[in-house]
Amino acid sequence: MKDMHLAELNVGRLLAPTDDPRVADFMNNLDRINGLGKRMPGFVWMMEGSGEPGTGNTDAKIGGDPQYVSNLTVWENVETLEKFVWGTIHKQFYARRAEWFEVLGKMHFVMWWVPKGHQPTLEEALARLDHLREHGDSDHAFGWAHLKQATRWRNDGCQPIAAE
């Protein structure tokens, strides 16, 4: 896949509005974790939010729901995304997701290959997630298990909860 990069979308619905104390620890660390990701070797692009400190992509509402938030990024390859997700402090925040997010009861994470230089839209990414939900892993939309070169998620990943 030398002419391709790996795109990923992760969506979730916060348990409370972004200014609620119940999600404060998550909101207060968004810039820190996103900033770390942007400095990682292999990082290519991230869908940006409003630019306001501490808001991440929370203004990119899904279905008009201000608590339904997303993270959309592009990476050079599987290994660099895995290193960020499972080999940095990001893993500690991922492990705490049940404190801040509702259990959606369906897949909330999808990956797919994009041509180098392509910046996917949220609409494109949501269509990939819908495809994964309807058809399971395929070359069009997939999870970690579909990628033979993905190894860290098997060993370093957090225990799954509910619908993962």
Side-chain angles (χ1 to χ4, degrees):
M1 293 282 197
K2 70 177 189 161
D3 294 329
M4 304 295 275
H5 282 157
L6 184 66
E8 70 79 28
L9 171 71
N10 190 15
V11 299
R13 187 165 192 284
L14 291 167
L15 292 170
T18 56
D19 60 353
D20 189 289
R22 291 173 288 177
V23 296
D25 205 20
F26 173 78
M27 295 302 299
N28 291 340
N29 282 284
L30 269 177
D31 290 344
R32 175 181 171 205
I33 301 302
N34 287 343
L36 172 64
K38 290 177 185 178
R39 293 188 305 274
M40 292 292 296
F43 171 83
V44 175
W45 174 83
M46 174 183 284
M47 178 180 69
E48 297 290 347
S50 65
E52 295 294 320
T55 61
N57 288 325
T58 57
D59 66 334
K61 299 163 186 54
I62 298 173
D65 183 343
Q67 288 173 230
Y68 200 50
V69 297
S70 59
N71 181 276
L72 175 58
T73 59
V74 176
W75 296 80
E76 287 181 0
N77 53 45
V78 174
E79 295 81 8
T80 57
L81 175 58
E82 275 196 308
K83 183 169 185 172
F84 169 67
V85 172
W86 309 119
T88 68
I89 194 167
H90 174 276
K91 180 181 176 181
Q92 294 173 24
F93 284 88
Y94 180 79
R96 294 179 60 195
R97 66 197 180 282
E99 294 177 36
W100 306 306
F101 289 93
E102 294 177 5
V103 174
L104 293 178
K106 55 188 173 183
M107 286 296 297
H108 64 272
F109 174 78
V110 64
M111 294 179 282
W112 69 101
W113 296 106
V114 296
K116 285 184 178 178
H118 179 67
Q119 296 177 351
T121 65
L122 181 56
E123 293 74 24
E124 173 188 347
L126 290 170
R128 297 283 180 151
L129 181 58
D130 286 343
H131 189 276
L132 177 62
R133 288 172 176 166
E134 291 176 30
H135 305 285
D137 285 332
S138 68
D139 289 342
H140 185 73
F142 46 84
W144 291 111
H146 187 71
L147 297 168
K148 290 181 177 59
Q149 64 271 50
T151 57
R152 293 192 73 155
W153 72 276
R154 294 179 205 278
N155 302 321
D156 298 339
C158 301
Q159 292 299 312
I161 61 169
E164 289 194 309

